[in-house]
Amino acid sequence: MATEDQDTARTTSGEEVVSPNTPSAMNTDPINVGHIEVLQILNEHGEVDKGLDPKLSNETLMRVYRAMVLARAFDQRMLTMQRQGRMGTFAPNIGQEACIIGQVTPLTRDDWYAPSYRSFGAQIVRGWSMEHLMRLWAGFHDGFPPPKDVNDLPFSIVIGSHVLPAVGIGMGMTYKKQNNCVVVNFGDGASSQGAVSEALNFAAVYKAPVVFVCENNGWAISTPIKKQTANEVFATRGISFGIPSIRVDGNDILAMICATEEATKRAKNGEGPTFIEAITYRMSLHTTADDPSVYRDEKEVEPWEKRCPIARFETYLKNKGLLTADAIQEVLESCEQEVIEARDTFYSMPPANPGEIFNHLYESIPEELKEQREEYFRRLKEKGIDYE
Ligand SMILES: Cc1ncc(C[n+]2csc(CCOP(=O)(O)OP(=O)(O)O)c2C)c(N)n1
Ligand SMILES: [Mg+2]
């Protein structure tokens, strides 16, 4: 962990300190830039740093592995469904599975999770069924509320807007003397929103038990990180508010789990918030409405294929004798099967009543909104849809 007075820390591999303003090319070494150490336990070849290996139980390792494979299977199926015209706009998370699964692995059911939109892998771990998430992405309002007994906020599309409520939940835990914490994630782009700065400041001043996970995936739609910050590093945004902050290889599941675990322990010990910058890469589209070939050179993507979080973890598990080529195939097939079953359940569910979108804001609906509702029903009827 680096704090403001430690900002001359070396990288974990002992490489020389780099000035925060040293330019770095995305396709050379995007991890070790800036002046804050980067936690990496599993390198891109799947080799483990024995001194840092958290020695998780075999059961945990296999559970986490399956969660990553399931997230990718869900991701790929959702892309197919969207291209078939059977799903709404969708934000893929391909290549970011370690980041998303690692950040919720240390959480208990009593802790809270406040996700942004690219977090479905974590939501599945937290207890959202895949058909529920499919309804959400298909635009049915009943997909948005979290399942009963799942302490999650609905995911936020208005970038950064959920970070203040997450801090509020954390402050509420302190007030009620609950020994829990909140994990909130947001992107490199969202970190420039004013609300995120307000949230960081509140959390720091009131020592809120919050873990901020800033997912630095290189891009905010078409805005590259070099236009997001002159600093190259996002962890400084935590440091500047007095929050202990760390840069983590976000494609390394072991590093993500360890960093989040340590941060949740600090939070629960009353030591306040932690800022984790998870360095990863958006391998695919921003959303299905996006075409990255318009604004980014595909050559930039290639080195990240070698940094695949699932492949390196498979190597680690194979070396531990926990996985074979056959077992990899079995896990993949069972995950794909589970996704297909969820898809079929989703297809068999009745569509939501679109009129209900008017029901959730006011206790008694204002006249103007009633008129809009009538107009909406009239237009639906014109299309042969009668929900009234
Ligand atoms: C307040 C607000 N402004 C703009 C948008 C449009 N928008 C949606 S996603 C996005 C980029 C977010 O990038 P980042 O925070 O890095 O997250 P990523 O999509 O890369 O995971 C923008 C600008 C929005 N949803 N909310
Ligand atoms: Mg981003």
Side-chain angles (χ1 to χ4, degrees):
M1 289 249 170
T3 55
E4 198 168 17
D5 56 356
Q6 286 177 307
D7 63 6
T8 51
R10 287 176 303 122
T11 64
T12 41
S13 52
E15 284 159 10
E16 62 176 327
V17 176
V18 184
S19 138
N21 292 319
T22 304
S24 78
M26 282 298 295
N27 56 4
T28 51
D29 184 356
I31 304 285
N32 288 309
V33 297
H35 58 318
I36 301 175
E37 63 182 325
V38 177
L39 177 66
Q40 184 187 68
I41 299 176
L42 210 51
N43 70 17
E44 64 187 70
H45 309 294
E47 294 157 351
V48 68
D49 182 327
K50 291 205 172 74
L52 295 176
D53 187 344
K55 302 198 171 61
L56 300 172
S57 70
N58 292 351
E59 188 272 329
T60 302
L61 290 170
M62 291 307 290
R63 180 165 45 81
V64 163
Y65 170 63
R66 192 175 192 283
M68 288 167 70
V69 176
L70 185 63
R72 189 168 290 188
F74 179 81
D75 207 317
Q76 285 167 337
R77 179 57 50 188
M78 290 288 276
L79 275 170
T80 304
M81 289 163 73
Q82 198 280 337
R83 294 312 193 216
Q84 290 169 339
R86 304 193 73 176
M87 181 47 63
T89 302
F90 174 66
N93 193 54
I94 293 170
Q96 298 182 219
E97 293 87 356
C99 176
I100 206 69
I101 301 300
Q103 66 186 248
V104 287
T105 301
L107 290 186
T108 68
R109 306 279 302 171
D110 294 330
D111 296 325
W112 277 72
Y113 184 51
S116 59
Y117 43 83
R118 213 181 288 288
S119 313
F120 47 83
Q123 290 175 296
I124 297 169
V125 171
R126 294 284 293 164
W128 296 62
S129 73
M130 285 184 280
E131 56 269 25
H132 188 147
L133 293 170
M134 286 174 182
R135 279 185 84 76
L136 193 169
W137 284 101
F140 298 142
H141 59 269
D142 58 16
F144 269 83
K148 199 169 169 299
D149 299 329
V150 172
N151 284 338
D152 290 8
L153 292 184
F155 76 56
S156 161
I157 287 189
V158 183
I159 60 171
S161 63
H162 58 304
V163 188
L164 270 168
V167 172
I169 293 170
M171 289 168 69
M173 287 169 174
T174 309
Y175 183 71
K176 290 183 179 167
K177 300 195 178 359
Q178 288 170 343
N179 191 26
N180 291 109
C181 68
V182 187
V183 168
V184 56
N185 75 4
F186 50 91
D188 42 281
S191 73
S192 297
Q193 288 289 109
V196 175
S197 291
E198 291 170 27
L200 292 169
N201 195 45
F202 259 98
V205 170
Y206 290 98
K207 282 196 172 300
V210 178
V211 181
F212 296 95
V213 181
C214 177
E215 298 177 357
N216 170 4
N217 65 358
W219 292 89
I221 313 184
S222 55
T223 304
I225 51 172
K226 65 177 184 300
K227 292 213 175 131
Q228 203 66 248
T229 169
N231 217 1
E232 284 196 288
V233 164
F234 287 87
T236 47
R237 294 191 171 185
I239 294 170
S240 62
F241 287 99
I243 298 178
S245 303
I246 186 171
R247 303 190 86 213
V248 176
D249 180 345
N251 285 13
D252 170 359
I253 182 70
L254 298 182
M256 278 305 299
I257 292 174
C258 284
T260 317
E261 173 102 47
E262 189 180 330
T264 59
K265 275 189 192 144
R266 291 190 64 255
K268 291 179 186 185
N269 282 339
E271 293 170 50
T274 303
F275 187 105
I276 297 173
E277 175 188 351
I279 308 156
T280 180
Y281 191 77
R282 199 196 77 212
M283 297 296 290
S284 181
L285 317 159
H286 169 68
T287 67
T288 46
D290 176 46
D291 175 7
S293 70
V294 174
Y295 55 80
R296 87 176 173 192
D297 186 345
E298 279 307 292
K299 281 204 194 90
E300 186 188 297
V301 183
E302 280 166 26
W304 286 94
E305 275 157 14
K306 296 197 195 95
R307 301 190 182 105
C308 171
I310 296 181
R312 79 171 74 169
F313 196 40
E314 281 170 350
T315 305
Y316 171 76
L317 294 175
K318 276 195 211 158
N319 290 342
K320 277 181 89 76
L322 291 174
L323 211 52
T324 60
D326 285 349
I328 289 174
Q329 194 56 27
E330 274 167 32
V331 172
L332 182 62
E333 283 171 14
S334 91
C335 288
E336 284 173 346
Q337 184 57 30
E338 204 179 319
V339 177
I340 291 287
E341 282 164 20
R343 179 202 64 180
D344 292 344
T345 305
F346 164 69
Y347 285 158
S348 71
M349 294 162 92
N353 179 342
E356 282 183 21
I357 59 172
F358 292 90
N359 294 350
H360 301 295
L361 196 54
Y362 296 99
E363 193 176 327
S364 53
I365 301 180
E367 280 310 309
E368 193 187 309
L369 203 57
K370 274 189 195 156
E371 282 167 27
Q372 284 184 25
R373 187 173 61 180
E374 294 317 308
E375 173 68 8
Y376 181 56
F377 284 140
R378 191 186 63 69
R379 290 186 188 208
L380 284 177
K381 246 183 209 157
E382 269 175 19
K383 292 177 188 282
I385 306 168
D386 194 356
Y387 275 109
E388 227 173 320

mmCIF file of all heavy atoms in Angstrom, residues 196-222:
data_model
loop_
_atom_site.group_PDB
_atom_site.id
_atom_site.type_symbol
_atom_site.label_atom_id
_atom_site.label_comp_id
_atom_site.label_asym_id
_atom_site.label_seq_id
_atom_site.Cartn_x
_atom_site.Cartn_y
_atom_site.Cartn_z
ATOM 1 N N VAL A 196 -17.531 11.391 -7.590
ATOM 2 C CA VAL A 196 -16.567 10.406 -7.078
ATOM 3 C C VAL A 196 -15.588 11.102 -6.125
ATOM 4 O O VAL A 196 -15.254 10.569 -5.060
ATOM 5 C CB VAL A 196 -15.844 9.675 -8.238
ATOM 6 C CG1 VAL A 196 -14.759 8.747 -7.710
ATOM 7 C CG2 VAL A 196 -16.862 8.891 -9.068
ATOM 8 N N SER A 197 -15.177 12.310 -6.468
ATOM 9 C CA SER A 197 -14.294 13.066 -5.564
ATOM 10 C C SER A 197 -15.001 13.355 -4.242
ATOM 11 O O SER A 197 -14.407 13.240 -3.166
ATOM 12 C CB SER A 197 -13.855 14.387 -6.208
ATOM 13 O OG SER A 197 -12.992 14.111 -7.284
ATOM 14 N N GLU A 198 -16.267 13.745 -4.334
ATOM 15 C CA GLU A 198 -17.018 14.010 -3.096
ATOM 16 C C GLU A 198 -17.097 12.746 -2.248
ATOM 17 O O GLU A 198 -16.940 12.787 -1.019
ATOM 18 C CB GLU A 198 -18.447 14.474 -3.438
ATOM 19 C CG GLU A 198 -18.497 15.844 -4.074
ATOM 20 C CD GLU A 198 -19.887 16.175 -4.613
ATOM 21 O OE1 GLU A 198 -20.879 15.642 -4.083
ATOM 22 O OE2 GLU A 198 -19.975 16.958 -5.567
ATOM 23 N N ALA A 199 -17.326 11.642 -2.914
ATOM 24 C CA ALA A 199 -17.455 10.369 -2.191
ATOM 25 C C ALA A 199 -16.135 9.991 -1.520
ATOM 26 O O ALA A 199 -16.107 9.576 -0.352
ATOM 27 C CB ALA A 199 -17.897 9.272 -3.159
ATOM 28 N N LEU A 200 -15.032 10.154 -2.258
ATOM 29 C CA LEU A 200 -13.719 9.812 -1.690
ATOM 30 C C LEU A 200 -13.433 10.682 -0.460
ATOM 31 O O LEU A 200 -12.941 10.205 0.568
ATOM 32 C CB LEU A 200 -12.622 10.006 -2.747
ATOM 33 C CG LEU A 200 -12.644 9.028 -3.930
ATOM 34 C CD1 LEU A 200 -11.682 9.487 -5.025
ATOM 35 C CD2 LEU A 200 -12.281 7.614 -3.484
ATOM 36 N N ASN A 201 -13.774 11.955 -0.578
ATOM 37 C CA ASN A 201 -13.497 12.864 0.533
ATOM 38 C C ASN A 201 -14.324 12.507 1.774
ATOM 39 O O ASN A 201 -13.800 12.429 2.888
ATOM 40 C CB ASN A 201 -13.774 14.311 0.104
ATOM 41 C CG ASN A 201 -13.160 15.294 1.063
ATOM 42 O OD1 ASN A 201 -12.013 15.135 1.469
ATOM 43 N ND2 ASN A 201 -13.918 16.292 1.462
ATOM 44 N N PHE A 202 -15.620 12.272 1.558
ATOM 45 C CA PHE A 202 -16.475 11.878 2.684
ATOM 46 C C PHE A 202 -15.939 10.607 3.344
ATOM 47 O O PHE A 202 -15.833 10.510 4.571
ATOM 48 C CB PHE A 202 -17.912 11.635 2.212
ATOM 49 C CG PHE A 202 -18.831 12.781 2.505
ATOM 50 C CD1 PHE A 202 -19.133 13.709 1.527
ATOM 51 C CD2 PHE A 202 -19.382 12.939 3.772
ATOM 52 C CE1 PHE A 202 -19.969 14.780 1.792
ATOM 53 C CE2 PHE A 202 -20.222 14.010 4.050
ATOM 54 C CZ PHE A 202 -20.524 14.933 3.056
ATOM 55 N N ALA A 203 -15.620 9.625 2.520
ATOM 56 C CA ALA A 203 -15.170 8.341 3.061
ATOM 57 C C ALA A 203 -13.888 8.511 3.862
ATOM 58 O O ALA A 203 -13.723 7.927 4.945
ATOM 59 C CB ALA A 203 -14.955 7.349 1.923
ATOM 60 N N ALA A 204 -12.970 9.348 3.341
ATOM 61 C CA ALA A 204 -11.682 9.541 4.023
ATOM 62 C C ALA A 204 -11.894 10.249 5.357
ATOM 63 O O ALA A 204 -11.362 9.828 6.392
ATOM 64 C CB ALA A 204 -10.749 10.352 3.126
ATOM 65 N N VAL A 205 -12.684 11.331 5.333
ATOM 66 C CA VAL A 205 -12.866 12.138 6.545
ATOM 67 C C VAL A 205 -13.600 11.337 7.621
ATOM 68 O O VAL A 205 -13.229 11.370 8.796
ATOM 69 C CB VAL A 205 -13.628 13.441 6.201
ATOM 70 C CG1 VAL A 205 -14.049 14.162 7.479
ATOM 71 C CG2 VAL A 205 -12.759 14.354 5.341
ATOM 72 N N TYR A 206 -14.611 10.598 7.209
ATOM 73 C CA TYR A 206 -15.426 9.855 8.197
ATOM 74 C C TYR A 206 -14.978 8.402 8.366
ATOM 75 O O TYR A 206 -15.667 7.621 9.002
ATOM 76 C CB TYR A 206 -16.910 9.935 7.809
ATOM 77 C CG TYR A 206 -17.456 11.332 8.018
ATOM 78 C CD1 TYR A 206 -17.545 12.219 6.954
ATOM 79 C CD2 TYR A 206 -17.834 11.769 9.282
ATOM 80 C CE1 TYR A 206 -18.013 13.512 7.138
ATOM 81 C CE2 TYR A 206 -18.307 13.058 9.482
ATOM 82 C CZ TYR A 206 -18.393 13.924 8.410
ATOM 83 O OH TYR A 206 -18.854 15.199 8.603
ATOM 84 N N LYS A 207 -13.851 8.063 7.763
ATOM 85 C CA LYS A 207 -13.313 6.689 7.867
ATOM 86 C C LYS A 207 -14.377 5.648 7.556
ATOM 87 O O LYS A 207 -14.593 4.676 8.316
ATOM 88 C CB LYS A 207 -12.727 6.441 9.265
ATOM 89 C CG LYS A 207 -11.346 7.053 9.465
ATOM 90 C CD LYS A 207 -10.685 6.432 10.691
ATOM 91 C CE LYS A 207 -9.238 6.828 10.874
ATOM 92 N NZ LYS A 207 -8.342 6.472 9.793
ATOM 93 N N ALA A 208 -15.081 5.873 6.477
ATOM 94 C CA ALA A 208 -16.157 4.945 6.104
ATOM 95 C C ALA A 208 -15.564 3.602 5.659
ATOM 96 O O ALA A 208 -14.531 3.566 4.984
ATOM 97 C CB ALA A 208 -16.994 5.551 4.987
ATOM 98 N N PRO A 209 -16.215 2.503 6.017
ATOM 99 C CA PRO A 209 -15.691 1.179 5.665
ATOM 100 C C PRO A 209 -16.000 0.822 4.201
ATOM 101 O O PRO A 209 -16.841 -0.032 3.913
ATOM 102 C CB PRO A 209 -16.426 0.246 6.634
ATOM 103 C CG PRO A 209 -17.723 0.941 6.911
ATOM 104 C CD PRO A 209 -17.452 2.416 6.824
ATOM 105 N N VAL A 210 -15.306 1.512 3.315
ATOM 106 C CA VAL A 210 -15.604 1.369 1.884
ATOM 107 C C VAL A 210 -14.333 0.983 1.122
ATOM 108 O O VAL A 210 -13.263 1.523 1.380
ATOM 109 C CB VAL A 210 -16.165 2.698 1.306
ATOM 110 C CG1 VAL A 210 -16.435 2.555 -0.188
ATOM 111 C CG2 VAL A 210 -17.430 3.114 2.041
ATOM 112 N N VAL A 211 -14.481 0.047 0.200
ATOM 113 C CA VAL A 211 -13.385 -0.331 -0.693
ATOM 114 C C VAL A 211 -13.729 0.213 -2.075
ATOM 115 O O VAL A 211 -14.720 -0.201 -2.677
ATOM 116 C CB VAL A 211 -13.211 -1.863 -0.755
ATOM 117 C CG1 VAL A 211 -12.047 -2.227 -1.675
ATOM 118 C CG2 VAL A 211 -13.024 -2.446 0.651
ATOM 119 N N PHE A 212 -12.940 1.176 -2.543
ATOM 120 C CA PHE A 212 -13.155 1.749 -3.873
ATOM 121 C C PHE A 212 -12.332 0.940 -4.878
ATOM 122 O O PHE A 212 -11.117 0.858 -4.746
ATOM 123 C CB PHE A 212 -12.676 3.200 -3.910
ATOM 124 C CG PHE A 212 -13.441 4.123 -2.992
ATOM 125 C CD1 PHE A 212 -12.967 4.396 -1.712
ATOM 126 C CD2 PHE A 212 -14.625 4.716 -3.391
ATOM 127 C CE1 PHE A 212 -13.655 5.255 -0.855
ATOM 128 C CE2 PHE A 212 -15.325 5.572 -2.542
ATOM 129 C CZ PHE A 212 -14.842 5.835 -1.271
ATOM 130 N N VAL A 213 -12.997 0.353 -5.863
ATOM 131 C CA VAL A 213 -12.249 -0.364 -6.902
ATOM 132 C C VAL A 213 -12.386 0.426 -8.203
ATOM 133 O O VAL A 213 -13.454 0.464 -8.810
ATOM 134 C CB VAL A 213 -12.768 -1.804 -7.104
ATOM 135 C CG1 VAL A 213 -11.948 -2.512 -8.177
ATOM 136 C CG2 VAL A 213 -12.718 -2.582 -5.792
ATOM 137 N N CYS A 214 -11.302 1.081 -8.572
ATOM 138 C CA CYS A 214 -11.305 1.840 -9.823
ATOM 139 C C CYS A 214 -10.778 0.918 -10.920
ATOM 140 O O CYS A 214 -9.610 0.542 -10.928
ATOM 141 C CB CYS A 214 -10.409 3.079 -9.684
ATOM 142 S SG CYS A 214 -10.291 4.014 -11.213
ATOM 143 N N GLU A 215 -11.668 0.541 -11.820
ATOM 144 C CA GLU A 215 -11.288 -0.398 -12.886
ATOM 145 C C GLU A 215 -10.700 0.396 -14.048
ATOM 146 O O GLU A 215 -11.423 0.967 -14.860
ATOM 147 C CB GLU A 215 -12.514 -1.197 -13.340
ATOM 148 C CG GLU A 215 -13.104 -2.038 -12.222
ATOM 149 C CD GLU A 215 -14.361 -2.796 -12.634
ATOM 150 O OE1 GLU A 215 -14.826 -2.640 -13.784
ATOM 151 O OE2 GLU A 215 -14.876 -3.547 -11.793
ATOM 152 N N ASN A 216 -9.368 0.415 -14.085
ATOM 153 C CA ASN A 216 -8.680 1.121 -15.169
ATOM 154 C C ASN A 216 -8.554 0.154 -16.334
ATOM 155 O O ASN A 216 -7.633 -0.649 -16.395
ATOM 156 C CB ASN A 216 -7.312 1.590 -14.656
ATOM 157 C CG ASN A 216 -6.442 2.114 -15.772
ATOM 158 O OD1 ASN A 216 -6.864 2.200 -16.933
ATOM 159 N ND2 ASN A 216 -5.207 2.457 -15.433
ATOM 160 N N ASN A 217 -9.501 0.241 -17.269
ATOM 161 C CA ASN A 217 -9.477 -0.685 -18.415
ATOM 162 C C ASN A 217 -9.031 0.010 -19.693
ATOM 163 O O ASN A 217 -9.320 -0.439 -20.795
ATOM 164 C CB ASN A 217 -10.849 -1.355 -18.600
ATOM 165 C CG ASN A 217 -11.931 -0.365 -18.974
ATOM 166 O OD1 ASN A 217 -11.683 0.826 -19.070
ATOM 167 N ND2 ASN A 217 -13.139 -0.871 -19.192
ATOM 168 N N GLY A 218 -8.310 1.137 -19.528
ATOM 169 C CA GLY A 218 -7.679 1.775 -20.681
ATOM 170 C C GLY A 218 -8.561 2.776 -21.406
ATOM 171 O O GLY A 218 -8.046 3.697 -22.036
ATOM 172 N N TRP A 219 -9.858 2.588 -21.332
ATOM 173 C CA TRP A 219 -10.760 3.405 -22.145
ATOM 174 C C TRP A 219 -12.036 3.771 -21.403
ATOM 175 O O TRP A 219 -12.523 3.001 -20.576
ATOM 176 C CB TRP A 219 -11.162 2.642 -23.418
ATOM 177 C CG TRP A 219 -10.023 2.449 -24.355
ATOM 178 C CD1 TRP A 219 -9.137 1.399 -24.367
ATOM 179 C CD2 TRP A 219 -9.599 3.350 -25.385
ATOM 180 N NE1 TRP A 219 -8.190 1.594 -25.344
ATOM 181 C CE2 TRP A 219 -8.461 2.785 -25.992
ATOM 182 C CE3 TRP A 219 -10.068 4.582 -25.848
ATOM 183 C CZ2 TRP A 219 -7.785 3.406 -27.046
ATOM 184 C CZ3 TRP A 219 -9.401 5.200 -26.908
ATOM 185 C CH2 TRP A 219 -8.280 4.607 -27.488
ATOM 186 N N ALA A 220 -12.574 4.937 -21.730
ATOM 187 C CA ALA A 220 -13.931 5.315 -21.328
ATOM 188 C C ALA A 220 -14.659 5.594 -22.648
ATOM 189 O O ALA A 220 -14.517 6.667 -23.224
ATOM 190 C CB ALA A 220 -13.900 6.562 -20.447
ATOM 191 N N ILE A 221 -15.352 4.621 -23.138
ATOM 192 C CA ILE A 221 -15.828 4.573 -24.535
ATOM 193 C C ILE A 221 -14.625 4.899 -25.433
ATOM 194 O O ILE A 221 -13.693 4.096 -25.482
ATOM 195 C CB ILE A 221 -17.038 5.491 -24.817
ATOM 196 C CG1 ILE A 221 -18.140 5.333 -23.726
ATOM 197 C CG2 ILE A 221 -17.642 5.127 -26.191
ATOM 198 C CD1 ILE A 221 -19.415 6.132 -23.994
ATOM 199 N N SER A 222 -14.583 6.080 -26.056
ATOM 200 C CA SER A 222 -13.489 6.381 -26.993
ATOM 201 C C SER A 222 -12.410 7.271 -26.373
ATOM 202 O O SER A 222 -11.495 7.703 -27.064
ATOM 203 C CB SER A 222 -14.069 7.074 -28.230
ATOM 204 O OG SER A 222 -14.809 8.216 -27.817
#
